Amino acid sequence: MASLELLLIFTLISGVIAYLVGKVHPKTGSILTIIVSGIVFASLAYFGLNEQLLTKVSYLPYISFIQTPLAIFFGVLVSFVFFMVSFFNPYFIDKYTYKAVYSLLYLLSLAGIIGIFFTDNFMTLFFFFELVVWSSLFLIPLGRDEEVSVWYFGFSVFGSFALLSAILLMQSVTGTFDITTGLQAVSGFNRLSVFILLLIAAFAKLGAFPLHYWLPKVLTDSPDPVTSIFSGGLEKLGAFIAVLGLVKLVPTGFFIDVMDMYLTHYILAILGSLTIIGGTVMAIRQDDAKKLLAYSSMSNGGYIIVALSLGSSAGISGGLYHIIAHAIASTAAFLAIGAVARQTNTTKMSELGGMLHKMPITYMVYLIAIISMAGIPPMGGFISKWLIFQGVINKGLILVAAATFFGSIGSFLYVFRPLAALFLGQELPQFKETIKEAPIVMLIPMVILSLLNIVTGVYPTNILAYINTLLVDLNIVQLDITRWTIVGTNGTLNPALIAVMFALGVFIAFIIFISLKKSRKVELMDTYTAANFIYTEELLHYSVDFYAPIERLYEPYIHFMKKFYQALANKVREVGALVKYYIFTSKPEVATFFIMLVIAILLWGDLV
Amino acid sequence: MSEFLASLEFINYIEMVVSVLLVVLAIFTLTMKSLIKSVLFLSSLSMLSVVSFVLLKAPDVAITEAVIGSGLVTTLFVFTLLYVHQKERDVS
Amino acid sequence: MLLYASVLLIVIGLYGLLTNRNVIKIILSLNVLEIGLNIFIITVGFLDLEEAIAPIITLQQRASVIVVDPLPQALVLTAIVIGVGTTAIGLSLAKKMYDKYHTFNLDEMGEE
Amino acid sequence: MKKILAFIFAITLGVMIILSLSNNELFTDFGDTNHYDGISSGYITSEVGGDEEPALVPVNIVTGILVDYRGFDTLGEVTVLFVSSIGVALLLGVASPKRINLNFKPNFMLSVGSRALFGVMFLTGIYIVLHAKTSPGGSFPGGAMIASSILILYLSNDTFRTDVSKFKLGKSLAASGFVLVGLIGLLFTGEFLANFHPFIMDTILVLIAIDVAGGIVGIIDNFLTEERV
């Protein structure tokens, strides 16, 4: 399907078909989502990367699309994530109350997100933005906690209104809804306003610092496949809008000569750093593996914001590469956790252990994913973090650099924990007999994503070359790359060489492991303290209170944002009560009187 | 004053009469002690507004007001009052 | 004249809203206000000429004949229909109130 | 005291309205409107609709504004009526509805006469709807008249209640049909509710009439029901 509009119509119609089929047989409906998202991904990747995507067909009036490298970059990535996650759908469909609706909403959000990336008209963008918000809103309550979708809805509405105001402001100033020309034509104070409003929308979608509150909740409590598409796909929508605001819009505001940077961009970098720190700190203290990954997702969103706000080629290419690397890694990690959750019905780290013996492939997938997320070579996350560090250091942003380094080290601390708690350690007695490896269909996407994690870490040249064409489109200096190396200002990176060194190291470690004497395998309950047999083995699970000393350092401060939002809600309620007490009392004439008073005041302006 | 009266035509007299009647009926509507009488005065006020619409050369609005404003709204009020009447009789 | 009459109707309706404590009377005041407002909007588009006619005329004749403004009429037409809807909602609320308190008077209902 | 204050305040507001209108450049004096300079001239000369054929422009300009130039507004207004009908049903709706016993038995004259009147009113309503393009009236009064005719039958006949529910279904279908006709216009000319064939306007008129009739019948039906004891 070489025409984008045809692709969108196809996705929407097959969503309806999947719904109708799902009404009769839910599993078949969910299998349809695999096929459809596969077709969408294949056509976008094949025709898009060869620049043969037809966008001027106009089956739909007033809705126009354009093929830009940026759109293809995001479209291919997100449709790939949707395709990979869709393999999980048939196995999770039995857990939902509304089985047929799930398939419909899944394809609707896919169509919406593709529409957002490829449109060149802001009103169309807003339409598809709302499509994504509403369809994903109803995906969330299929999971554990329905109240979470209220949080998501609140922040999404805030973001939507910011986006709509930005669009209308831009239109009133420039007279056009066209994205590229409009963003370039808007000027002066209006440009600053459009910038701020667009960034509010981006922050609300990406879950970055002041508007982050919904993200961990949603990622924790929605169903496992939905978590994966949120982390890998829908969150990237915010990154896309951030690119629009930070890169496509001509920068504005006070220019700081010393830093070679605009003040607004510096503030964004600081906010991104706060997101990184907050996500990392909160991730360290979680017991639920999914919640831990959720906070890590948040902190990675902070990296994207920091990278994009730098404005240099290293920064922006690092940010775009991080979008890819994090999408792949976090999708893989969440899928692995989802697979464990499906087999054991829990994601609490203190309730699990020894899964390595039962689910070795899932373990490998998770291991590779977290190595990438922590930014350790030879995985994709390392390349992007290296580029981001380069960009930050070149600009000389000490505070931001400290935050990014802190996030990187913090991610060592936290990603290791679920690995140790879930997969390593002793097998728990309740899971000893019943647990098996995940079904083969679920393993397919996980293995593909793991291979991609390695490929993006060892041979990033192709992707970086594509990012370079994208940078040309955005009027930014290209990154200096050769076939095997990336040239930064502070040195040259050779990912393949590093990978070879790592492989060598692993090989040597393996030889040592084989040649040394094996340790004795100890049963979990084979423990005595002061000659007493211990029954409550959960307390001895070594992931319980793992980082208690570190946690104690910042324990009093963690509820800061929660308190802020609660206070905000209370204030709004108080204002409502005040209005109700003075105006909308049990006496209707009082309200009438106030309405008449307002009319009289308005008329007074005409009289004098 | 006499010049003003001389300049008036027949249609202006009708307009004046309708205007005065509109205001009088509106006052009656709100000052009646009995609710059903109020409703009936509202209905007649609505009918008279139909005349004013015709005078203002708005036949579409006149037809609509005649059917909806004076017909259906009055029925709604009457049904509500009938219901209350029924309830009162049930209680006593 | 009709302009002043319509403004007076609005004033009477507002006075009724301000002074009445009976739910049915309040809805009646609203209806009086609405009729006044409708007449007022129609007078905005009125053309006080002998030759001005109601806006029902074929396309060929429109260049030579003056008509009154059709736009306020269209707006009032819709306003009347919506007025029925609001009155119906108000009356059903009044009915519910009566079911609960056995009176239409707001003073006798008590605070709740 | 309170009444005097209210009186003074209301009168002040009325005086303010009249004073502010009398010295206002934006607001012309009574009977002196200059709408040929404003937006209405586009509707009168049918320039707003583009190069439309004379056959497509209705003689009744008000109908043209309601159904063609501002059809989207009318769709919204139909929705308001629809929602208020639903609101009344929610407020007054009961689990097992029964007609209110109205304390009067329709005698022979009433039941026969109402049937005769029903036919006349029903046909008049249909006539008003179908001739809305050339004569005063339109789908709103026409629909209301159809609703009134049914109401008369309803009052004279105790067993009529069950047939009313069919009308509510018609209301929902008509509202959907309105949107559907609009989408047909979008499909053929790229404009929502485009008026490219005389049939389109007739269809919309009939659909609005059904919707209005259904909405009003639903409202009155709810007013005349109570819980079955």
Side-chain angles (χ1 to χ4, degrees):
Chain A
M1 259 168 273
S3 155
L4 194 76
E5 283 172 340
L6 197 62
L7 197 65
L8 277 178
I9 296 169
F10 165 74
T11 316
L12 292 172
I13 290 175
S14 39
V16 176
I17 292 172
Y19 173 74
L20 294 175
V21 171
K23 274 277 177 204
V24 184
H25 193 262
K27 211 150 197 168
T28 321
S30 60
I31 288 169
L32 265 180
T33 62
I34 304 181
I35 298 166
V36 173
S37 51
I39 290 172
V40 170
F41 164 66
S43 9
L44 275 182
Y46 181 75
F47 294 109
L49 293 177
N50 293 326
E51 297 190 356
Q52 288 170 344
L53 208 58
L54 288 179
T55 49
K56 296 286 176 199
V57 193
S58 191
Y59 294 108
L60 303 165
Y62 294 111
I63 296 180
S64 55
F65 296 99
I66 193 165
Q67 170 184 268
T68 60
L70 188 70
I72 292 163
F73 176 84
F74 275 99
V76 170
L77 177 69
V78 171
S79 60
F80 176 68
V81 168
F82 268 79
F83 178 45
M84 287 292 115
V85 176
S86 64
F87 281 99
F88 269 53
N89 288 346
Y91 295 96
F92 281 84
I93 199 90
D94 296 333
K95 295 189 176 183
Y96 308 137
T97 327
Y98 304 101
K99 299 177 174 65
V101 178
Y102 176 80
S103 307
L104 171 70
L105 293 175
Y106 191 87
L107 291 176
L108 277 187
S109 16
L110 176 61
I113 204 158
I114 299 290
I116 289 173
F117 293 148
F118 280 90
T119 184
D120 66 342
N121 183 305
F122 254 128
M123 277 331 265
T124 319
L125 187 144
F126 187 72
F127 168 75
F128 283 112
F129 189 87
E130 288 300 296
L131 184 64
V132 170
V133 167
W134 285 95
S135 48
S136 53
L137 173 67
F138 292 109
L139 279 175
I140 298 167
L142 297 169
R144 280 192 271 191
D145 189 358
E146 296 182 359
E147 203 189 301
V148 170
S149 53
V150 177
W151 279 104
Y152 174 65
F153 181 69
F155 282 93
S156 281
V157 162
F158 191 60
S160 295
F161 273 108
L163 183 64
L164 188 64
S165 324
I167 292 169
L168 293 180
L169 181 63
M170 194 201 80
Q171 201 268 344
S172 69
V173 176
T174 65
T176 175
F177 278 126
D178 192 86
I179 290 180
T180 313
T181 56
L183 285 180
Q184 264 153 17
V186 64
S187 62
F189 182 70
N190 290 315
R191 188 159 67 196
L192 189 63
S193 311
V194 169
F195 175 80
I196 292 170
L197 289 168
L198 272 182
L199 260 295
I200 288 175
F203 271 50
K205 264 335 283 170
L206 194 59
F209 168 57
L211 304 174
H212 66 275
Y213 198 61
W214 61 275
L215 184 72
K217 286 178 182 294
V218 166
L219 290 187
T220 311
D221 286 336
S222 48
D224 296 312
V226 179
T227 306
S228 306
I229 58 168
F230 254 101
S231 178
L234 298 180
E235 215 193 303
K236 301 299 171 279
L237 183 56
F240 178 75
I241 291 170
V243 170
L244 286 189
L246 278 164
V247 185
K248 278 208 154 186
L249 187 74
V250 184
T252 178
F254 181 66
F255 189 79
I256 309 171
D257 290 327
V258 186
M259 292 185 194
D260 185 28
M261 199 171 182
Y262 286 94
L263 179 65
T264 45
H265 287 204
Y266 183 64
I267 293 171
L268 283 179
I270 294 288
L271 284 178
S273 321
L274 285 176
T275 313
I276 295 173
I277 294 174
T280 308
V281 163
M282 290 304 286
I284 287 174
R285 65 188 301 277
Q286 298 308 323
D287 180 43
D288 190 328
K290 235 175 133 183
K291 207 163 194 171
L292 189 149
L293 285 180
Y295 277 109
S296 102
S297 223
M298 173 185 154
S299 92
N300 279 295
Y303 275 101
I304 294 170
I305 290 282
V306 166
L308 291 177
S309 63
L310 291 176
S312 61
S313 61
I316 290 178
S317 55
L320 291 173
Y321 203 84
H322 197 72
I323 290 170
I324 293 187
H326 175 247
I328 292 170
S330 75
T331 310
F334 274 117
L335 287 183
I337 297 281
V340 172
R342 181 178 181 269
Q343 307 299 85
T344 63
N345 283 325
T346 178
T347 51
K348 288 254 190 303
M349 282 187 268
S350 50
E351 294 171 6
L352 289 165
M355 284 295 148
L356 168 63
H357 306 288
K358 302 292 184 192
M359 308 173 79
I361 301 176
T362 312
Y363 162 73
M364 278 310 290
V365 170
Y366 185 76
L367 178 67
I368 291 169
I370 62 164
I371 290 175
S372 179
M373 281 168 94
I376 305 169
M379 305 302 167
F382 169 67
I383 310 282
S384 60
K385 277 194 181 166
W386 187 81
L387 283 167
I388 293 171
F389 290 159
Q390 287 281 330
V392 173
I393 293 167
N394 283 344
K395 291 271 178 188
L397 306 172
I398 298 168
L399 289 175
V400 178
T404 48
F405 293 140
F406 173 78
S408 219
I409 294 164
S411 57
F412 290 131
L413 293 177
Y414 64 71
V415 290
F416 161 70
R417 256 182 82 213
L419 183 79
L422 285 168
F423 292 103
L424 304 179
Q426 293 112 326
E427 287 177 74
L428 294 182
Q430 65 262 40
F431 297 133
K432 211 154 193 180
E433 304 300 323
T434 53
I435 302 302
K436 289 198 291 284
E437 176 62 278
I440 188 85
V441 180
M442 279 165 75
L443 290 177
I444 293 172
M446 290 175 9
V447 170
I448 293 176
L449 285 167
S450 298
L451 291 178
L452 270 176
N453 262 329
I454 299 173
V455 169
T456 50
V458 176
Y459 186 67
T461 317
N462 277 346
I463 298 171
L464 282 173
Y466 193 79
I467 288 177
N468 265 343
T469 61
L470 205 155
L471 291 182
V472 173
D473 196 53
L474 295 172
N475 291 325
I476 292 166
V477 187
Q478 291 195 336
L479 197 68
D480 195 2
I481 51 168
T482 62
R483 186 168 179 79
W484 294 106
T485 58
I486 309 165
V487 183
T489 43
N490 304 341
T492 307
L493 180 71
N494 191 336
L497 186 66
I498 295 175
V500 169
M501 298 299 287
F502 251 81
L504 214 64
V506 169
F507 183 67
I508 291 169
F510 186 67
I511 287 175
I512 295 171
F513 176 70
I514 288 182
S515 55
L516 289 182
K517 198 169 139 254
K518 287 276 187 303
S519 56
R520 185 175 66 93
K521 205 173 175 188
V522 185
E523 290 290 311
L524 184 69
M525 307 297 273
D526 192 3
T527 314
Y528 295 86
T529 302
N532 281 321
F533 187 69
I534 291 175
Y535 293 97
T536 54
E537 75 274 10
E538 283 84 8
L539 289 177
L540 286 184
H541 197 297
Y542 63 88
S543 80
V544 175
D545 290 336
F546 197 74
Y547 289 118
I550 303 176
E551 278 173 35
R552 237 171 271 137
L553 287 176
Y554 57 84
E555 187 80 50
Y557 310 110
I558 49 170
H559 295 302
F560 169 65
M561 282 316 280
K562 189 181 176 185
K563 276 179 191 157
F564 172 74
Y565 282 117
Q566 259 166 7
L568 194 69
N570 281 336
K571 285 283 173 275
V572 171
R573 210 170 287 143
E574 277 171 18
V575 171
L578 192 76
V579 169
K580 198 176 167 216
Y581 183 80
Y582 281 110
I583 297 177
F584 294 108
T585 55
S586 61
K587 297 185 167 95
E589 62 262 29
V590 178
T592 315
F593 175 76
F594 275 104
I595 293 167
M596 285 168 74
L597 205 62
V598 170
I599 294 172
I601 290 167
L602 291 178
L603 284 177
W604 189 254
D606 270 353
L607 281 177
V608 290
Chain B
M1 188 66 197
S2 60
E3 284 172 21
F4 173 71
L5 284 176
S7 70
L8 292 177
E9 293 170 27
F10 180 61
I11 195 93
N12 297 98
Y13 286 113
I14 297 179
E15 199 185 315
M16 282 171 77
V17 170
V18 168
S19 306
V20 172
L21 269 179
L22 274 175
V23 174
V24 170
L25 280 177
I27 293 170
F28 277 175
T29 307
L30 295 184
T31 47
M32 280 295 135
K33 281 272 178 284
S34 151
L35 284 178
I36 191 77
K37 279 183 189 166
S38 277
V39 171
L40 289 177
F41 273 114
L42 180 76
S43 181
S44 49
L45 172 65
S46 193
M47 259 350 246
L48 205 65
S49 77
V50 172
V51 178
S52 75
F53 287 137
V54 172
L55 288 177
L56 292 169
K57 293 170 185 169
D60 296 82
V61 183
I63 290 180
T64 313
E65 177 74 32
V67 176
I68 294 178
S70 50
L72 285 168
V73 169
T74 314
T75 20
L76 288 179
F77 275 108
V78 168
F79 284 153
T80 313
L81 294 180
L82 273 178
Y83 172 79
V84 169
H85 193 63
Q86 195 81 18
K87 274 281 157 82
E88 274 172 355
R89 191 181 321 203
D90 287 350
V91 169
S92 60
Chain C
M1 273 311 270
L2 276 172
L3 178 72
Y4 299 112
S6 64
V7 173
L8 262 177
L9 283 191
I10 294 172
V11 168
I12 293 166
L14 285 175
Y15 174 75
L17 279 179
L18 282 176
T19 51
N20 275 315
R21 306 290 297 156
N22 186 315
V23 181
I24 297 285
K25 276 280 173 81
I26 287 173
I27 300 169
L28 278 168
S29 314
L30 267 177
N31 268 288
V32 171
L33 204 160
E34 191 199 315
I35 289 169
L37 210 57
N38 287 343
I39 298 174
F40 178 78
I41 296 174
I42 294 283
T43 56
V44 171
F46 182 56
L47 205 55
D48 199 6
L49 293 172
E50 278 291 315
E51 60 265 30
I53 61 163
I56 300 174
I57 184 166
T58 57
L59 192 60
Q60 289 81 16
Q61 294 170 313
R62 282 183 201 175
S64 54
V65 180
I66 300 172
V67 298
V68 300
D69 196 351
L71 190 57
Q73 301 191 5
L75 295 181
V76 168
L77 201 65
T78 58
I80 291 172
V81 180
I82 290 178
V84 186
T86 49
T87 309
I89 293 272
L91 282 175
S92 45
L93 278 173
K95 216 169 150 184
K96 277 277 162 194
M97 277 176 172
Y98 189 86
D99 280 348
K100 192 165 181 190
Y101 300 105
H102 303 288
T103 175
F104 277 135
N105 202 319
L106 287 171
D107 288 330
E108 294 163 25
M109 283 178 191
E111 298 283 329
E112 202 159 332
Chain D
M1 187 60 203
K2 196 179 143 194
K3 285 196 173 181
I4 297 169
L5 273 179
F7 182 74
I8 292 169
F9 189 62
I11 287 288
T12 317
L13 198 68
V15 171
M16 277 178 84
I17 290 172
I18 288 178
L19 281 181
S20 66
L21 293 185
S22 59
N23 293 323
N24 204 326
E25 290 171 5
L26 295 170
F27 202 87
T28 52
D29 290 339
F30 174 68
D32 194 23
T33 174
N34 50 358
H35 60 275
Y36 275 93
D37 302 338
I39 192 169
S40 299
S41 74
Y43 298 141
I44 294 169
T45 56
S46 181
E47 279 166 1
V48 176
D51 303 314
E52 280 185 294
E53 298 169 39
L56 292 177
V57 180
V59 174
N60 190 341
I61 303 176
V62 176
T63 305
I65 291 174
L66 279 178
V67 183
D68 187 4
Y69 309 129
R70 295 197 167 219
F72 204 72
D73 290 1
T74 309
L75 175 60
E77 189 221 348
V78 165
T79 315
V80 170
L81 193 69
F82 191 85
V83 169
S84 68
S85 157
I86 292 172
V88 172
L90 278 177
L91 279 169
L92 299 179
V94 286
S96 59
K98 171 185 124 283
R99 244 195 72 170
I100 285 177
N101 186 15
L102 276 178
N103 259 327
F104 70 87
K105 282 275 170 285
N107 56 20
F108 176 75
M109 279 307 287
L110 184 61
S111 54
V112 172
S114 66
R115 264 177 218 181
L117 201 58
F118 162 76
V120 174
M121 283 180 76
F122 196 77
L123 287 177
T124 315
I126 289 172
Y127 180 88
I128 288 180
V129 172
L130 291 182
H131 289 73
K133 279 156 78 170
T134 50
S135 62
S139 37
F140 287 109
M145 201 168 267
I146 294 170
S148 314
S149 67
I150 288 162
L151 171 70
I152 284 181
L153 211 60
Y154 194 102
L155 283 179
S156 62
N157 191 344
D158 272 340
T159 57
F160 190 66
R161 181 166 201 291
T162 47
D163 295 336
V164 168
S165 55
K166 288 169 193 161
F167 246 86
K168 294 181 187 166
L169 183 71
K171 172 187 71 175
S172 311
L173 287 178
S176 329
F178 198 159
V179 179
L180 213 63
V181 171
L183 288 178
I184 288 171
L186 190 68
L187 199 67
F188 280 98
T189 63
E191 210 175 314
F192 191 73
L193 277 174
N195 179 21
F196 60 93
H197 191 272
F199 184 65
I200 293 282
M201 198 175 273
D202 288 329
T203 316
I204 294 173
L205 283 168
V206 170
L207 286 175
I208 296 174
I210 294 173
D211 194 280
V212 170
I216 292 173
V217 166
I219 287 172
I220 289 172
D221 177 46
N222 276 309
F223 264 87
L224 283 174
T225 47
E226 64 182 353
E227 187 104 38
R228 199 183 297 273
V229 189

